[in-house]
Amino acid sequence: MPSSIIGSLRGFSTRRFGGRCGRLAGVVAALLAVGGGAVENVWGQMSSLNAFSPYTMYGIGDMAVGGSAFNRAMGGVGIAGRDPHAFNYRNPASMSVIPRQSAIFNFAGEGKNIYARDGKTSTSYNTFDIHDLGLAVPLGRGVGLGFSLTPVSSVGYVSQMVERNPSITENIGSAVYHYAGDGGITQVAMSLGVNVTPQFSLGASLNYWFGDIERQYNATLTSYLEADTYRSVVSTENQNLSKILFTLGAQYVFKVGKSNALCIGATYQPKVTARVKQSRATLSYGNSSVDTVFVGDSRWKMHIPGKVGAGIYFQSTRLGVAFDYTRQDWKGAFEIPTGQDVALGVQQEYRFGVSYIPNRFDIRHALNRWTYKAGLRYGDSYLKKGGHQLHDAAVSLGVDFGLKRGTFSRVGVGVEYGERGSWYKNEARERYFNFFVALSLFGHDYWFHRPKYN
């Protein structure tokens, strides 16, 4: 694993860590006694990272795109998606369309390659994780129930900053600060959808968010005049979040012509307040001694803002076209330390996707039965740097194909290329390449057939 994401994150302040460790570093460095000889290196590396970005240093990190891996090839659309043979995580109202005597099982993995650059230095990171897991079953005619496991956010960064303040470098010596973070939030959801009329459906989802985020800080000062190393400071902070949320959804279907349909959908997640449990330990290391600076637990409030979404989906026998929009205002959700060039803002996402099937009933050519997909998405992060919104834009391509002719069970593969970061003043920019592999088993294909022979 690389030891540094970007050697010196130019334009992105890392001097203060979560609002606490950075302030502590300056105080401790001035108060602790000088230790002779070399200081033992106690900096702990993270074992694995689900994300790899300096922009995950605040809050709960990078927000996941959401939806199933099948929808990611279409830019992640799905608020108005209403396919009776697919599990749609984006809108619980879509559960109502699951056919009787059937079941849908989804499983998907995601590979990530992230390339980060700030104009002077660059680095890359690769990882592979489970993307989503889901099971949907009908409870009756026009009533469906789904269970899913999906990511909400990811935190992952390892960075280093060398002190440039003349008053420190001239009077004390070299000062190097290391920062690292790992963890994220996961969602377990139970979704229920009901048909109010043949065209109109409502749904609700009970979502449980849980996860741990660990952040580490290490400061080492070395004198230029003598072969002495000042006492090293190591601080570890673990934050645990556990909260129940709700999502409400609705969908309405219009018939267009003889065989086409137009569906509109909407979702709403009410605002909730979560109490974050926090444990922090700060230690000072000398040549042969370890002093405890601070050990303690605390709780603080994080306001998870309300989220609204709307979508539209046109579907014919061959062509599908969809568009989604979501908005979530994170202003005041949690505290950003004063004196930093970072602020909270409104997170918005625009997603567009198309799908095309040449001929789903072709019995000779398998390629004509495949579903070809493409998508675009653009979003504004909830973080602002220097008053400018951080952006995320990506394009995607993919294809779905059946496991066997005449069945609805399928495999999907897709790729996504995107860019994230501030587009001003040559700040840290990230380019990423994601690869998805998804499996969907439609239960009616195998589980509910009456055997021909006993």
Side-chain angles (χ1 to χ4, degrees):
M1 188 185 73
S3 61
S4 158
I5 179 171
I6 294 181
S8 174
L9 295 177
R10 186 176 58 181
F12 193 88
S13 173
T14 57
R15 186 164 304 187
R16 295 187 180 180
F17 186 79
R20 296 175 175 85
C21 297
R23 290 193 295 269
L24 179 68
V27 176
V28 174
L31 297 179
L32 292 178
V34 176
V39 175
E40 178 185 2
N41 182 11
V42 295
W43 176 245
Q45 295 290 346
M46 296 298 176
S47 59
S48 63
L49 301 176
N50 293 326
F52 194 64
S53 169
Y55 297 119
T56 64
M57 293 184 69
Y58 300 92
I60 58 177
D62 281 339
M63 302 300 293
V65 175
S68 72
F70 287 100
N71 291 347
R72 284 294 294 275
M74 295 178 64
V77 296
I79 294 179
R82 194 171 175 79
D83 186 345
H85 309 114
F87 194 150
N88 179 14
Y89 306 138
R90 298 277 291 169
N91 193 334
S94 65
M95 295 293 100
S96 64
V97 78
I98 300 174
R100 299 180 65 185
Q101 294 186 335
S102 66
I104 303 173
F105 173 75
N106 271 17
F107 176 79
E110 175 184 10
K112 300 179 181 178
N113 177 272
I114 303 172
Y115 175 81
R117 187 178 185 87
D118 73 341
K120 287 185 177 181
T121 57
S122 62
T123 188
S124 62
Y125 187 79
N126 299 284
T127 184
F128 186 85
D129 304 293
I130 294 176
H131 183 275
D132 61 86
L133 182 67
L135 175 66
V137 295
L139 298 182
R141 188 181 299 275
V143 182
L145 180 67
F147 302 89
S148 61
L149 177 70
T150 56
V152 175
S153 69
S154 297
V155 171
Y157 57 90
V158 182
S159 63
Q160 173 179 297
M161 188 189 75
V162 178
E163 182 61 66
R164 305 298 184 187
N165 189 332
S167 63
I168 294 179
T169 58
E170 294 176 4
N171 299 320
I172 298 178
S174 171
V176 180
Y177 308 100
H178 299 271
Y179 305 85
D182 186 23
I185 307 299
T186 302
Q187 172 181 282
V188 175
M190 181 176 66
S191 303
L192 178 70
V194 179
N195 274 344
V196 180
T197 70
Q199 294 79 29
F200 180 58
S201 63
L202 295 174
S205 179
L206 177 67
N207 311 318
Y208 175 61
W209 284 18
F210 66 96
D212 291 282
I213 298 174
E214 181 176 325
R215 305 182 189 274
Q216 297 181 1
Y217 164 83
N218 170 260
T220 302
L221 287 81
T222 304
S223 173
Y224 287 149
L225 302 178
E226 302 177 7
D228 294 333
T229 302
Y230 289 83
R231 298 179 66 88
S232 179
V233 178
V234 176
S235 181
T236 300
E237 185 177 270
N238 184 275
Q239 299 172 345
N240 174 269
L241 186 146
S242 177
K243 187 62 180 179
I244 293 178
L245 303 90
F246 298 92
T247 300
L248 306 176
Q251 290 181 332
Y252 193 91
V253 180
F254 299 89
K255 187 176 181 180
V256 180
K258 295 182 179 181
S259 57
N260 303 330
L262 180 68
C263 180
I264 58 174
T267 57
Y268 173 65
Q269 174 185 294
K271 175 182 177 180
V272 298
T273 299
R275 294 186 63 85
V276 180
K277 300 178 182 179
Q278 179 171 286
S279 301
R280 184 161 65 93
T282 303
L283 305 177
S284 168
Y285 287 79
N287 280 348
S288 58
S289 63
V290 179
D291 295 329
T292 300
V293 179
F294 177 86
V295 174
D297 299 331
S298 62
R299 292 174 179 264
W300 53 277
K301 293 181 179 181
M302 171 179 285
H303 303 291
I304 302 175
K307 184 177 182 179
V308 295
I312 185 170
Y313 200 121
F314 172 80
Q315 183 71 56
S316 68
T317 55
R318 295 187 178 185
L319 180 67
V321 181
F323 175 78
D324 283 2
Y325 169 77
T326 57
R327 186 180 189 276
Q328 194 171 19
D329 189 351
W330 286 84
K331 296 175 183 176
F334 54 88
E335 180 185 356
I336 294 291
T338 59
Q340 294 214 25
D341 203 13
V342 177
L344 299 177
V346 178
Q347 180 175 2
Q348 299 184 90
E349 294 180 318
Y350 306 85
R351 308 181 185 188
F352 174 78
V354 296
S355 65
Y356 179 73
I357 307 176
N359 184 357
R360 68 175 71 241
F361 305 108
D362 194 322
I363 61 175
R364 292 186 177 182
H365 303 93
L367 295 181
N368 286 340
R369 298 192 300 270
W370 290 12
T371 303
Y372 302 91
K373 299 179 176 180
L376 298 169
R377 62 178 178 86
Y378 174 85
D380 297 326
S381 170
Y382 64 85
L383 288 178
K384 291 183 177 181
K385 172 67 180 70
H388 301 296
Q389 201 88 29
L390 302 178
H391 305 290
D392 186 358
V395 297
S396 54
L397 295 172
V399 61
D400 299 350
F401 53 89
L403 291 178
K404 187 172 68 173
R405 191 177 65 188
T407 69
F408 294 104
S409 298
R410 55 184 176 150
V411 172
V413 295
V415 294
E416 180 183 58
Y417 175 79
E419 185 173 297
R420 176 176 54 191
S422 177
W423 296 348
Y424 297 89
K425 299 181 181 178
N426 198 28
E427 293 166 355
R429 299 281 294 276
E430 300 171 2
R431 291 181 173 87
Y432 55 87
F433 179 84
N434 297 334
F435 175 74
F436 311 98
V437 179
L439 171 67
S440 177
L441 298 178
F442 187 70
H444 188 72
D445 294 338
Y446 305 101
W447 304 333
F448 297 98
H449 282 180
R450 184 186 298 275
K452 294 182 180 180
Y453 304 100
N454 292 326

